[in-house]
Amino acid sequence: MALDLFTVGDPIADTKAPRDVPIGERWSERRFRAKLVNPANRRKLTVIVVGTGLAGGSAAATLGEAGYKVKSFWYQDSPRRAHSVAAQGGINAAKNYRNDGDSVHRLFYDTVKGGDFRAREDNVHRLAEVSVNIIDQCVAQGVPFAREYGGLLDNRSFGGTQVSRTFYARGQTGQQLLYGAYQALERQMAAGTVEQFPRTEMLDLIVVDGRARGIVARDLITGEISTHFADAVVLATGGYSNVFYLSTNAKGSNATAIWRAHKRGALFANPCYTQIHPTCIPVHGEYQSKLTLMSESLRNDGRVWVPKERGDTRDPRQIPEDERDYYLERIYPSFGNLVPRDIASRQAKNVCDEGRGVGPNGLGVYLDFAEAMQRLGRPAIEAKYGNLFDMYAQITGEDPYEVPMRIYPAVHYTMGGLWVDYDLQSNVPGLFVIGEANFSDHGANRLGASALMQGLADGYFVLPNTINDYLASGPFDKVDPQHPAAVEALEGVRAQTEKLLSINGNRTTASFHRELGRLMFDLCGMERSEESLRKALDRIPEIRQEFWTNVKVPGEAGRFNQSLEHAGRVADFIELAELMCVDALHRNESCGGHFRAESQTPDGEALRDDENFAYVAAWEWTPEGVPPVLHKEDLEFEYVHLAQRSYK
C-alpha cells in the first residue's frame, strides 16, 4: 500500500519485561527489580485515577490502601454505574477446579491463540498467573460466585477453550465484581486516602516537561472547567466501541480520555482491532440507540442453528431436526458452539448473507435451549441463566423457555487502546493505562470472560506493583494552575467548548454519530476490504468538516448540558474512526476480529501474514492534514509457536 495515508517512524519496544529469565519467572522478577516507595513517602505522593470500573475502582482502592493520596474521577453519579456493571457471563481463572486439564500455561496458550497471535507473550502469561489470585481476592470480598451442591465454586466454559475455567454469578458477574471493588473503594474514601470527584469528565491531559502531571476536567453539573495535579495519572476509562454508535456498551461510554491523551503524545495501538460479539439481540428499528448483549455463557447449553433452506419462515418449533443446520457444530466439531467470538460472528454473518437468517429482517440466528431443558430440566436452566432469559423476554416479548432466542453479532469490545509497556505505562512517562483502555493482553480477539480478568488483574495486582518503580523517583516538582502547560490545556478545553456552542448549525450531534456509526459498521465492521476502507477514508473527513460547521449544540457551557458532553465525544469519535480505518487499511492481512476480504483461506477463515504483520501498530498523533506516524513493535513468540488458528 502506498504510504499516502501514513509515514513510518522509529520502531518501539517494551523494555520492562525481564527477558533474561524464563517467562514463568518474569513477573516475579520484575516485581523484585522494581524500586519501592516506603510507607512514609507514599503519603507525599498523589495519583489521579480516571474511571471507576473494575480496573479503575480496584486500582484506586488498592493504591489508597497502600497509602498513596488518590484522586478518583468518574462521570457517573456513582462508581457502581461504571459499564463493568453490565458484564454478564463470568471471569476466567486457571484454578483447574474441574480437574479437566487446565493450568496457567493452558490459559496463556488459549489467550495467545485466541488473539490470533497478535498479543505479547509476556503480558498474557502474567495475566494467566495473576488470574488465580483474583478469585481468592473476590471471594474474600464477598462476591457471591455460583457454587456447586457441595459448596465449591462452580465453573463453566466460554468460547475458544475446551476446559471449564469461568467463574460466574448467574448472568450478573460484572455487577457483583464491581460491587466488590466499589466497597473497597468506599472504604478508602471513608479513610481519607481517596478523594472523590463524581460527575466529572476528563477533557485533557496536562504534560509538564514530558511527564503526565494532571488533567483538565469539567464538572458535568455546574459546567466548571478546572485543573487537577498529581505525580502520576492512571486512565481506566474503557474502550471505544461506541464509535460504531450501535454497540453493547452503555451510551455514555466514550473514547475522550484516551483520545485526548493520544493527542498529547501517547501512542494509540491497534485501533482496528474491534470485537463483534456473536450473541446479541438483533437490531429492531431504525432509531434504536444501543444493542443488548446476551451472555456468551448461553452458548454452553444453547445450540446455534438456522434452517437449511433459504427463506424458511416457519415457527422454529415446527422445523424438524433434519431441516436444521447446526452450523457451528458442523463446521467446528471439536469446539462446536464454543468457538471464539470472531469466528462465531463471521459464520452467523455468512449464513445470513446466504439468505438463511431468521427474524423480520433476516439478520438473526437461533440460540435454542430445547435440548438442554430436556436434558437438565427447566429449574437447572433457570438457576444458571434465569436473569438473562427474563431480560430477553422483557426486550423482545418472546419467552425463550418456549421459543428459541434470536441473536445476531454486534460491536462489543475493543482490543486496541493506548500503547503500554510491561509496567502498564504509556510512552508518556507518568501516564499509566489499565483495563480495556490499553491494548496489551488480547491481541486481535478477546476470549470471552477475559475482560473482567484483565481489569481486576491490572487494578488489584499489576499496577500497584509497577507504578511504585515510577513514583520512587518522586515527588516531582510542584505544578500549580499557573504553570504554562496547565494554562494552555485549560484554555484549549475552553476554546473547544466555546466553538462547539457557537456553530449553531442545523444537524444534531446524534445525527452525526449515527451516520458515522453506520459508515464504520458497513465499511470497517465484521469484514473490511481496501475498497470499503478507502470509501470510509473519503467520507470521514467530509463528516468532520460538516460537523465543525453545521452541528447544533444547544444550551450553555456553565451548566448541566448533556448535548455539549455528547458533542465533544462525537468530535473525538470522528477523529478516532479515521485512524481506525487507516490502521485497518495498512494491515493487509486477516487476524482475529480484523477480517480483510482479500486475505482468507479457501474455507473462509482468517489468513494472517506473519512475515509482514507480526507487530503491534502504535500510532503517533499528528495535526489534521499531516499523515499519522506508524511505530512498529515486533512480536516475538518463544513459547507459543505461530500456527494457523484452527478450532475444527
Side-chain angles (χ1 to χ4, degrees):
M1 178 183 129
L3 302 185
D4 55 339
L5 295 176
F6 66 94
T7 59
V8 178
D10 295 334
I12 191 170
D14 168 37
T15 60
K16 299 291 180 61
R19 305 303 298 274
D20 55 341
V21 296
I23 195 167
E25 300 174 16
R26 288 174 187 169
W27 175 227
S28 60
E29 187 65 24
R30 176 60 190 141
R31 283 180 293 167
F32 175 73
R33 295 181 187 180
K35 299 173 186 175
L36 299 177
V37 182
N38 78 59
N41 286 339
R42 291 177 207 158
R43 295 191 290 269
K44 305 172 186 176
L45 295 163
T46 302
V47 180
I48 286 175
V49 180
V50 185
T52 56
L54 287 181
S58 60
T62 307
L63 292 172
E65 183 77 45
Y68 292 109
K69 293 190 294 184
V70 179
K71 296 180 179 180
S72 178
F73 291 79
W74 63 90
Y75 64 75
Q76 305 282 14
D77 58 345
S78 167
R80 292 173 298 176
R81 294 187 184 274
H83 185 57
S84 297
V85 78
Q88 297 171 347
I91 177 171
N92 288 331
K95 279 188 167 290
N96 195 32
Y97 281 178
R98 288 293 185 90
N99 195 31
D100 56 358
D102 202 10
S103 64
V104 167
H105 187 78
R106 188 173 295 279
L107 176 53
F108 161 65
Y109 175 85
D110 286 345
T111 305
V112 173
K113 176 184 174 184
D116 216 353
F117 303 91
R118 289 296 177 261
R120 273 197 208 128
E121 283 191 333
D122 293 331
N123 290 68
V124 175
H125 198 280
R126 175 176 64 190
L127 181 64
E129 292 176 57
V130 169
S131 72
V132 299
N133 300 327
I134 296 172
I135 304 304
D136 297 337
Q137 169 90 4
C138 294
V139 168
Q141 290 176 331
V143 173
F145 287 119
R147 294 179 181 269
E148 297 176 336
Y149 178 77
L152 299 176
L153 296 182
D154 196 13
N155 294 118
R156 57 190 179 197
S157 296
F158 261 63
T161 70
Q162 292 178 307
V163 297
S164 294
R165 64 163 66 102
T166 304
F167 296 77
Y168 65 98
R170 296 186 78 195
Q172 302 168 320
T173 314
Q175 180 191 70
Q176 299 305 320
L177 293 172
L178 184 64
Y179 285 1
Y182 169 70
Q183 291 175 97
L185 181 60
E186 283 286 292
R187 178 176 180 274
Q188 295 308 312
M189 289 178 185
T193 63
V194 176
E195 183 180 2
Q196 58 180 307
F197 294 86
R199 301 306 302 269
T200 305
E201 182 174 25
M202 171 185 162
L203 295 179
D204 206 350
L205 180 72
I206 298 173
V207 179
V208 177
D209 298 330
R211 297 178 185 269
R213 295 300 311 274
I215 64 172
V216 179
R218 180 176 182 269
D219 185 311
L220 299 182
I221 302 300
T222 67
E224 179 186 1
I225 299 172
S226 56
T227 52
H228 305 266
F229 304 98
D231 295 287
V233 176
V234 179
L235 300 186
T237 51
Y240 48 92
S241 289
N242 275 349
V243 72
F244 291 92
Y245 187 72
L246 283 179
S247 83
T248 65
N249 283 203
K251 287 298 293 178
S253 298
N254 64 85
T256 288
I258 57 174
W259 188 251
R260 305 285 173 93
H262 173 56
K263 295 175 79 168
R264 289 291 179 184
L267 299 179
F268 205 117
N270 300 334
C272 77
Y273 288 167
T274 55
Q275 181 168 82
I276 312 293
H277 197 294
T279 317
C280 300
I281 297 177
V283 175
H284 62 76
E286 181 69 20
Y287 288 97
Q288 188 170 346
S289 62
K290 80 173 298 295
L291 298 173
T292 302
L293 172 70
M294 300 305 297
S295 170
E296 182 178 318
S297 64
L298 294 170
R299 290 198 276 145
N300 270 278
D301 292 304
R303 300 179 70 193
V304 179
W305 65 276
V306 292
K308 287 185 177 178
E309 296 298 324
R310 294 187 177 122
D312 191 335
T313 59
R314 286 179 290 173
D315 184 310
R317 294 167 292 185
Q318 304 303 316
I319 301 178
E321 281 289 311
D322 61 355
E323 296 181 32
R324 301 179 178 187
D325 180 12
Y326 295 92
Y327 58 90
L328 292 179
E329 298 173 34
R330 171 175 57 82
I331 301 172
Y332 307 100
S334 294
F335 282 74
N337 295 298
L338 289 175
V339 293
R341 292 174 176 177
D342 59 318
I343 291 175
S345 294
R346 279 198 297 275
Q347 292 300 345
K349 178 181 184 296
N350 289 342
V351 296
C352 290
D353 288 348
E354 292 170 4
R356 296 193 289 144
V358 301
N361 56 9
L363 294 178
V365 300
Y366 290 126
L367 182 60
D368 196 337
F369 283 82
E371 185 274 336
M373 282 192 284
Q374 184 177 16
R375 173 169 47 89
L376 300 172
R378 177 166 172 163
I381 297 298
E382 288 178 339
K384 294 171 74 174
Y385 311 114
N387 67 299
L388 296 170
F389 276 50
D390 292 344
M391 182 171 67
Y392 182 88
Q394 290 171 7
I395 292 172
T396 66
E398 300 174 359
D399 184 357
Y401 292 105
E402 300 293 333
V403 182
M405 291 183 180
R406 286 180 294 110
I407 58 170
Y408 192 71
V411 176
H412 177 59
Y413 188 88
T414 51
M415 286 75 67
L418 294 186
W419 183 92
V420 292
D421 60 19
Y422 193 64
D423 284 0
L424 302 182
Q425 185 172 206
S426 75
N427 60 297
V428 177
L431 177 65
F432 293 78
V433 191
I434 60 177
E436 191 180 356
N438 74 35
F439 88 101
S440 64
D441 291 3
H442 305 297
N445 175 60
R446 176 177 67 79
L447 292 183
S450 287
L452 307 188
M453 176 175 61
Q454 185 207 353
L456 291 181
D458 286 358
Y460 280 135
F461 299 105
V462 180
L463 178 78
N465 283 287
T466 59
I467 200 171
N468 292 329
D469 189 64
Y470 176 78
L471 291 174
S473 302
F476 305 104
D477 293 340
K478 183 176 176 57
V479 179
D480 59 35
Q482 284 70 49
H483 192 284
V487 172
E488 183 269 332
L490 183 70
E491 292 306 315
V493 169
R494 286 177 174 162
Q496 186 187 67
T497 300
E498 291 169 3
K499 183 174 181 180
L500 287 169
L501 291 168
S502 68
I503 296 169
N504 197 30
N506 297 315
R507 286 188 62 179
T508 65
T509 302
S511 73
F512 283 104
H513 196 180
R514 188 179 289 112
E515 180 185 358
L516 178 72
R518 184 174 298 163
L519 177 146
M520 288 297 290
F521 190 78
D522 290 344
L523 303 181
C524 190
M526 270 193 281
E527 181 174 301
R528 302 98 183 259
S529 67
E530 179 171 354
E531 179 184 8
S532 73
L533 292 167
R534 289 197 177 274
K535 281 183 181 178
L537 288 168
D538 286 341
R539 178 58 185 147
I540 291 172
E542 296 173 353
I543 295 175
R544 180 174 60 240
Q545 173 65 21
E546 185 177 359
F547 177 88
W548 285 107
T549 56
N550 197 32
V551 71
K552 184 175 183 63
V553 183
E556 302 170 10
R559 59 184 297 181
F560 180 73
N561 189 340
Q562 290 186 304
S563 296
L564 178 60
E565 295 170 33
H566 190 205
R569 296 166 186 173
V570 171
D572 295 329
F573 280 142
I574 293 171
E575 294 179 349
L576 172 56
E578 187 169 27
L579 183 62
M580 290 170 66
C581 292
V582 170
D583 188 37
L585 182 57
H586 112 276
R587 188 171 286 277
N588 193 19
E589 65 163 354
S590 292
C591 54
H594 168 65
F595 190 80
R596 285 286 297 268
E598 306 93 337
S599 184
Q600 54 185 300
T601 64
D603 53 355
E605 302 291 350
L607 181 62
R608 297 194 321 269
D609 180 354
D610 295 329
E611 182 177 351
N612 294 304
F613 293 100
Y615 60 77
V616 175
W619 296 91
E620 177 185 343
W621 183 82
T622 52
E624 185 178 345
V626 180
V629 180
L630 170 63
H631 301 272
K632 300 178 182 179
E633 179 197 337
D634 290 333
L635 293 169
E636 299 177 8
F637 296 93
E638 300 176 81
Y639 296 88
V640 181
H641 297 297
L642 288 164
Q644 176 65 34
R645 192 171 56 143
S646 174
Y647 292 92
K648 296 182 178 182

